Amino acid sequence: MISALTLVGCGSDDEAPTAAASSTTEEESARSTEPDEAEAAEPAAEEDDTSVVDFLRTAGVGDTLVNRLGEVGDANGYGLGVDVATDLEARRRLASTQVETCRNVAVGHRTWEGLQASDVSAGASEEQAAAMADFLREEFCPHVAPYKEAPLPKQTLGGPAQDPRGGRGLASPLSWWDARYQRVPWSKGCATQTGQPTGEPVAYRLADDAVVCATVPPAKSLKKHLISVDVVFASPVGEARARDAVLALLPSDASADEETEGINPDWSYLEGGCLNVNFGSERLESVVAEVKKDAEPWAHAIYYSDGATNDGAVGAYTGKIKQILLSTGANEPGLTGDLTC
């Protein structure tokens, strides 16, 4: 539902703009794992789609405030170029991403310093990033309503230990999760660690000391299968406990394989690190194949000692784990040779 505008660096009208996604989008986070082909499989949006308008309405953001934000965005290159006017539809999309920013700052998942650093990394000047952050902090965010959680559904637990394809959580359908684990409030265990959701959030009690946090994928091709989840512990645990939590959400043949230490991206103002562990599972390939064409017999878990934000890991990796991001596929270092937290 939320799509970003292009953030364009300063330059003359004759220069080709340096296009980069605005840092307020989920793509800039190393934690984004939804497959590209799922998005490509989505049908084109209907002309009468009101999802963005509805989202802004529930957030308490009307067109007057949307246009004020749009004017600041246009003046600072958060659109089609510096001082190039955007239309109302584009401004609504920008407003939608900034609602997420406001809510994440409010729960401590993001900081204004981190927001500015990521915008600069995407092409804004320090002055442009500061102007946007100042407007958000002083004029836009005070009008944004807090995220309102939907009532928890009634459940009848006692479902099977694995889904029809042999999965035990990762890439399993939401219906299996609802029959297997108790839903718990998102706001209590997930908001600060994983951020406020823009889609439909779900949280489940995995164990006495751990909850699973996830957002139901909007892509119809994913059929409401949870292909990426976060495990959040009440307090940091050792690597053995973390491994057991991961294995509980993978097919029974899964085993830990390659380990790689990760670092925060260069632009991050945070000094932090993480540990990535790839898990092999032949059965996982058939589990994932139901929702993903290029399914692989791999999953990866990223361990964070404190937490993960859009700005990178909070603090160094210490061998104790507060949060785990578990996703399909293996995770490997990038072109620089470094694995990004």
Side-chain angles (χ1 to χ4, degrees):
M1 178 184 71
I2 310 296
S3 61
L5 299 182
T6 301
L7 182 61
V8 183
C10 293
S12 71
D13 293 339
D14 295 330
E15 293 175 325
T18 55
S22 169
S23 66
T24 55
T25 68
E26 294 176 321
E27 277 119 44
E28 57 187 38
S29 168
R31 307 172 68 257
S32 178
T33 54
E34 185 162 322
D36 293 338
E37 69 276 4
E39 293 296 338
E42 278 287 80
E46 298 291 338
E47 291 185 0
D48 59 351
D49 181 16
T50 62
S51 57
V52 173
V53 176
D54 293 341
F55 175 79
L56 291 173
R57 183 181 298 112
T58 60
V61 177
D63 285 347
T64 299
L65 186 57
V66 166
N67 280 319
R68 287 170 60 196
L69 174 67
E71 291 169 359
V72 174
D74 293 345
N76 291 282
Y78 285 73
L80 301 175
V82 176
D83 292 328
V84 179
T86 50
D87 60 19
L88 181 58
E89 181 181 358
R91 291 178 173 185
R92 284 171 174 164
R93 292 197 299 269
L94 176 62
S96 297
T97 67
Q98 303 297 24
V99 166
E100 178 187 2
T101 297
C102 296
R103 288 173 169 172
N104 282 337
V105 170
V107 298
H109 185 67
R110 292 210 77 179
T111 65
W112 296 118
E113 183 180 3
L115 174 70
Q116 290 180 231
S118 59
D119 280 359
V120 170
S121 75
S125 67
E126 292 186 2
E127 292 76 13
Q128 290 168 335
M132 176 58 77
D134 288 345
F135 180 81
L136 292 173
R137 181 177 59 250
E138 298 170 5
E139 299 190 47
F140 185 82
C141 292
H143 295 281
V144 174
Y147 175 75
K148 185 176 181 181
E149 203 166 351
L152 296 178
K154 294 182 180 180
Q155 291 179 269
T156 302
L157 301 179
Q162 60 184 24
D163 66 35
R165 290 181 176 266
R168 299 195 298 181
L170 186 66
S172 294
L174 193 65
S175 57
W176 177 87
W177 280 90
D178 282 337
R180 184 68 183 170
Y181 293 106
Q182 178 188 6
R183 281 210 196 188
V184 294
W186 172 277
S187 58
K188 291 185 178 180
C190 302
T192 300
Q193 290 293 137
T194 65
Q196 292 286 27
T198 56
E200 177 189 351
V202 288
Y204 296 94
R205 175 64 61 188
L206 180 64
D208 290 342
D209 65 339
V211 296
V212 169
C213 312
T215 300
V216 180
K220 292 181 181 179
S221 59
L222 295 177
K223 304 175 185 177
K224 292 192 173 182
H225 286 58
L226 300 186
I227 61 168
S228 179
V229 302
D230 284 274
V231 179
V232 177
F233 296 97
S235 58
V237 301
E239 290 184 359
R241 173 72 182 91
R243 182 184 63 249
D244 289 345
V246 171
L247 291 174
L249 298 175
L250 296 174
S252 57
D253 68 330
S255 61
D257 190 76
E258 182 183 11
E259 295 186 2
T260 306
E261 292 186 3
I263 60 175
N264 282 344
D266 292 340
W267 56 261
S268 177
Y269 76 104
L270 295 170
E271 294 185 4
C274 60
L275 178 70
N276 179 83
V277 183
N278 288 331
F279 287 81
S281 167
E282 294 298 326
R283 295 180 185 176
L284 183 62
E285 185 171 6
S286 63
V287 174
V288 177
E290 183 174 354
V291 293
K292 187 178 179 183
K293 292 181 180 179
D294 58 345
E296 300 175 350
W298 293 97
H300 68 273
I302 306 179
Y303 296 166
Y304 299 91
S305 291
D306 192 334
T309 73
N310 289 359
D311 306 319
V314 179
Y317 179 71
T318 65
K320 294 292 185 179
I321 298 99
K322 172 69 174 178
Q323 180 178 346
I324 304 170
L325 170 65
L326 176 63
S327 299
T328 58
N331 193 20
E332 305 293 346
L335 295 177
T336 62
D338 295 323
L339 188 143
T340 305
C341 294

